[in-house]
Amino acid sequence: MLKSLPIGVFDSGLGGLTVAREIMRNLPMEKIVYFGDTARVPYGSKSGQTIKRYSRQIVRFLKTQEIKAIVVACNTATALAMDEIREEAGGLPVIGVVEPGARAACEASKSGRIGVIATRATIGSHVYSEAIQGIRSDASVIGKACPLLVPLVEEGWIHDKITDEILLRYLDELLEHDIDALILGCTHYPLLRSEIRRLIGDGIRLVNPAYETASELKRLLKEQGLDNDKLRDAGEPYPYRFYVSDEAERFAGFANSVLPVDVKNARIVPIEEF
Ligand code: DGL
């Protein structure tokens, strides 16, 4: 049955687990096949051409897993490769994180002054500004690339003086523009949410595109009659499978610290062959 097939979720590495986490919380009946491109992360400092090629390979791999939809959990891949991903996906429904994030920010902002922090590639693509202005033409969007944040999160330096200083340096510039909403436009940034909140105070709404992406996925599956409405039988296999292109053990360790479920292992896929 189509309804009981898993959803393919992918990211450049570990960060997309923040999106998988929201899907698990919001759509507990759905199965997930997650792919993290841990051998080739980060995407945020790579060219559009490379990100498109990598994304196509990942979609080709996911299609071997009998999935019913694809969630592009990576902001950078959503920003630069959505057309290629859709083309490769054939008829499968595809959702990225940018449109849902933009919508949530438009709802969160009163003044229409919206900040976006993301990787260099995402900011350079202007996708968030375009998506926001498509919804709210009076909005002004101030983007800031924060390339040092991904390695800091990957290193586990979340509650750290150095991370605070770097965050402040990036955020100060945005705060000068008097924003009232800030999009965490990179999969890793929700993991820095409390630090960011502490540094910017309570007056600015923080927008995590992962929440809205999970809600959008729920709507889309229902609309297309693809939502899984059957509870898992006790004898059924574990509903979440994890694949990576490198460092499976490190990935499983990180996944265990982020996800509300126990991740026993991740399998390595030779992604260049797809
Ligand atoms: N997953 C990427 C994103 O959301 C961040 C990590 C990377 O640069 O690959 O933009």
Side-chain angles (χ1 to χ4, degrees):
M1 255 298 264
L2 213 53
K3 275 174 173 282
S4 63
L5 294 180
I7 296 155
V9 179
F10 80 88
D11 178 46
S12 56
L14 309 165
L17 291 169
T18 59
V19 179
R21 175 174 67 184
E22 296 314 321
I23 298 175
M24 289 174 182
R25 284 178 179 155
N26 206 337
L27 294 90
M29 318 257 236
E30 300 296 345
K31 302 179 186 119
I32 294 177
V33 175
Y34 182 96
F35 177 82
D37 202 355
T38 46
R40 305 187 293 193
V41 68
Y43 284 11
S45 49
K46 296 195 168 66
S47 69
Q49 206 186 6
T50 300
I51 296 162
K52 290 178 204 311
R53 183 166 67 84
Y54 289 176
S55 301
R56 276 190 190 275
Q57 289 174 329
I58 297 170
V59 174
R60 289 201 283 267
F61 161 68
L62 286 174
K63 283 177 74 182
T64 65
Q65 300 295 303
E66 275 206 284
I67 49 169
K68 62 180 175 186
I70 293 179
V71 175
V72 187
C74 179
N75 288 261
T76 306
T78 305
L80 285 122
M82 210 52 184
D83 290 347
E84 290 71 17
I85 292 167
R86 284 196 202 283
E87 190 181 292
E88 208 62 63
L92 280 180
V94 179
I95 298 188
V97 280
V98 170
E99 287 284 336
R103 238 191 330 276
C106 289
E107 277 163 28
S109 171
K110 284 207 175 82
S111 68
R113 280 190 300 281
I114 299 170
V116 183
I117 51 174
T119 64
R120 222 172 235 143
T122 301
I123 295 297
S125 74
H126 302 290
V127 278
Y128 269 110
S129 334
E130 282 162 20
I132 290 169
Q133 265 144 6
I135 302 166
R136 215 177 140 166
S137 54
D138 68 315
S140 54
V141 183
I142 303 102
K144 179 77 190 155
C146 306
L148 294 175
L149 298 185
V150 167
L152 287 169
V153 172
E154 297 259 334
E155 204 52 43
W157 291 13
I158 290 179
H159 313 289
D160 195 293
K161 265 202 333 247
I162 293 176
T163 308
D164 276 5
E165 273 184 37
I166 292 172
L167 271 171
L168 266 180
R169 178 120 172 217
Y170 286 138
L171 294 171
D172 265 355
E173 202 183 306
L174 283 176
L175 298 181
E176 279 168 21
H177 288 87
D178 204 16
I179 54 169
D180 72 349
L182 176 63
I183 302 182
L184 307 178
C186 168
T187 47
H188 289 60
Y189 302 173
L191 299 169
L192 292 168
R193 192 189 174 100
S194 343
E195 279 58 42
I196 296 175
R197 168 61 66 223
R198 178 167 45 75
L199 295 171
I200 65 175
D202 290 333
I204 298 173
R205 298 275 299 273
L206 291 181
V207 177
N208 175 2
Y211 293 129
E212 192 62 24
T213 302
S215 311
E216 167 111 6
L217 176 67
K218 196 172 188 173
R219 272 195 299 276
L220 179 109
L221 293 178
K222 202 157 192 75
E223 194 181 283
Q224 303 210 0
L226 290 172
D227 54 317
N228 191 18
D229 40 21
K230 272 224 303 263
L231 270 175
R232 202 156 52 102
D233 293 333
E236 266 191 72
Y238 188 69
Y240 306 125
R241 297 202 301 275
F242 298 91
Y243 295 93
V244 289
S245 45
D246 202 4
E247 291 210 287
E249 251 176 58
R250 189 167 115 78
F251 176 90
F254 190 87
N256 265 316
S257 70
V258 171
L259 297 178
V261 298
D262 216 23
V263 178
K264 288 177 194 69
N265 58 20
R267 272 174 266 175
I268 294 204
V269 174
I271 199 67
E272 289 282 3
E273 291 172 16
F274 284 86

